[in-house]
C-alpha cells in the first residue's frame, strides 16, 4: 500500500522543494518506487530542482482535467531508478486543484508507487491544503527562527484538524520535524534557535537537521538533488533523514560547532 507523505511548512523559502527532491531520491535509491508531485500550481519549481524542466510536456493540472494521462505526464528521473516526477502547471491557478481530482490521481498512483511525495506550496491556502489533505505522514520543514517555527505550528494545527484522517477519525497523520539551514555557530551566538528550542515549541519527533550549506544552492542551480552529493554535509544529513523515515536508527550529526585546529587558527582559518 502506497504511503503518501506531504512536505510542508507555513513559511516560504525554508527548503520544502529541496527536501521533497532529496527525500524522494533517497527513497528511490533504496529500491522504493517513488513519485514526487509538485502541488505549487502557478509557480512550479520541482522540475528545476530535479533538472527535468525541458522535458515537461503535460502537468498535474492536465491530468486532473482529463487532458493527459498519468503515463503522459510522469517524467522518469534520468539519474535514479524508481523515481518519477509529476510537475505542476505554470499557467493555471490553484483553483484547478479539486479534492475529487486529487484523490483520483493519488488512487491511480497508489496502484504503481510505494511512496507518493507531495511537495506543498507554503502557507495555508488551497494548494497547501490539497497537498496535506490525503497525507499519511507529514514532514514539517522549518528554519531555526521564531517566525518560521510559529508558522509551522499553525500547519500542525491544520494537519490535526483538516486532514482526511482528522475528518474521518482515523489514525493521526504521522508528523516529522526537519530543521533546515542550521548553523551551530550562530546558535551558540544566540542568533538562531537551537534544536532543543524548536523541539520544545513544536513537540514532534525530529527527523533530521540539515546544516546551512552552499552545496544546497549549488545543487539546486545544477538541477541535482543535494542528497546525490555524498561529500556535502547537507547531502549526508538528508541521507540520514531518509534512513530515519524508514524506521532505522541514525545518530544526528552536524549539531555542534566545529573545533578549529591550532594550525588552522594560526593560519587564520586557511588550510
Amino acid at each position: 500500500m502506497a504511503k503518501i507523505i506531504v512536505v510542508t511548512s507555513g513559511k516560504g523559502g525554508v527548503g520544502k522543494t529541496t527536501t521533497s527532491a532529496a527525500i524522494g531520491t533517497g527513497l528511490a535509491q533504496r529500491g522504493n518506487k517513488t513519485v514526487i508531485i509538485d502541488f505549487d500550481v502557478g509557480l512550479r519549481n520541482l522540475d528545476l530542482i530535479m533538472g527535468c524542466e525541458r522535458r515537461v510536456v503535460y502537468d498535474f493540472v492536465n491530468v486532473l482535467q482529463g487532458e493527459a494521462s498519468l503515463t503522459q505526464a510522469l517524467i522518469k528521473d534520468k539519474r535514479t531508478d524508481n523515481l518519477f516526477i509529476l510537475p505542476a502547471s505554470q499557467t493555471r491557478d490553484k483553483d484547478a486543484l479539486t479534492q475529487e481530482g486529487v484523490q483520483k490521481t493519488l488512487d491511480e498512483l497508489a496502484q504503481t508507487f510505494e511512496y507518493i511525495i507531495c511537495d506543498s506550496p507554503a502557507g495555508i491556502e488551497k494548494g497547501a491544503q490539497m497537498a496535506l489533505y490525503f497525507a499519511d505522514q507529514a514532514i514539517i520543514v522549518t528554519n531555526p527562527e521564531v517566525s518560521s517555527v510559529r508558522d509551522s505550528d499553525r500547519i500542525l494545527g491544520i494537519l490535526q484538524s483538516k486532514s482526511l484522517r482528522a475528518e474521518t477519525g482515523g489514525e493521526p497523520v504521522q508528523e516529522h520535524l526537519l530543521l533546515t539551514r542550521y548553523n551551530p555557530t550562530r546558535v551558540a551566538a544566540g542568533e538562531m534557535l537551537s534544536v532543543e528550542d524548536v523541539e520544545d515549541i513544536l513537540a514532534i519527533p525530529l527527523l533530521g537537521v540539515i546544516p546551512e550549506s552552499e552545496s544546497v544552492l549549488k545543487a539546486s542551480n545544477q538541477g541535482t538533488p543535494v542528497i546525490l552529493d555524498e561529500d556535502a554535509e547537507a547531502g549526508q544529513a538528508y541521507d540520514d533523514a531518509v534512513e530515519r523515515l524508514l524506521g532505522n536508527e541514525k545518530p544526528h550529526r552536524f549539531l555542534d560547532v566545529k573545533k578549529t585546529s591550532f594550525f588552522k587558527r594560526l593560519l587564520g582559518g586557511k588550510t
Side-chain angles (χ1 to χ4, degrees), residues 72-259:
Q72 291 175 293
L74 286 171
I75 300 171
K76 189 179 188 306
D77 189 73
K78 289 181 176 180
R79 294 163 299 237
T80 307
D81 289 338
N82 303 307
L83 183 60
F84 292 78
I85 297 94
L86 182 56
S89 171
Q90 280 186 306
T91 59
R92 314 288 181 95
D93 61 35
K94 292 175 175 62
D95 289 334
L97 299 177
T98 65
Q99 190 168 298
E100 296 75 20
V102 171
Q103 181 169 21
K104 182 181 177 183
T105 301
L106 291 175
D107 287 346
E108 190 174 343
L109 289 169
Q111 295 175 25
T112 305
F113 292 93
E114 295 166 88
Y115 286 94
I116 300 170
I117 310 297
C118 301
D119 181 26
S120 171
I124 57 173
E125 42 68 51
K126 186 173 182 179
Q129 292 196 22
M130 282 292 173
L132 65 79
Y133 183 74
F134 296 100
D136 301 312
Q137 300 184 43
I139 297 174
I140 313 299
V141 183
T142 187
N143 293 158
E145 58 181 57
V146 172
S147 63
S148 181
V149 175
R150 180 195 61 195
D151 290 348
S152 292
D153 205 20
R154 188 168 185 195
I155 291 296
L156 288 172
I158 292 172
L159 276 167
Q160 293 160 9
S161 60
K162 292 189 175 182
S163 65
L164 177 62
R165 285 175 174 243
E167 287 183 1
T168 58
E171 287 289 319
V173 175
Q174 188 177 349
E175 298 159 343
H176 309 278
L177 170 62
L178 190 85
L179 193 55
T180 55
R181 296 179 185 162
Y182 194 74
N183 186 324
T185 302
R186 295 183 64 191
V187 171
E191 298 172 0
M192 276 186 176
L193 298 176
S194 69
V195 173
E196 293 76 15
D197 291 334
V198 179
E199 287 183 297
D200 285 345
I201 296 167
L202 297 181
I204 59 175
L206 182 65
L207 181 68
V209 179
I210 313 301
E212 192 172 47
S213 172
E214 291 181 4
S215 62
V216 174
L217 179 60
K218 179 181 175 182
S220 297
N221 287 337
Q222 292 177 342
T224 304
V226 70
I227 196 172
L228 295 177
D229 186 350
E230 297 177 359
D231 295 326
E233 290 185 349
Q236 296 168 28
Y238 271 118
D239 198 68
D240 290 350
V242 173
E243 284 292 313
R244 297 187 198 101
L245 189 64
L246 293 170
N248 301 316
E249 292 287 336
K250 292 287 287 189
H252 290 281
R253 300 187 277 172
F254 317 118
L255 304 185
D256 301 317
V257 178
K258 289 182 182 178
K259 293 181 180 178

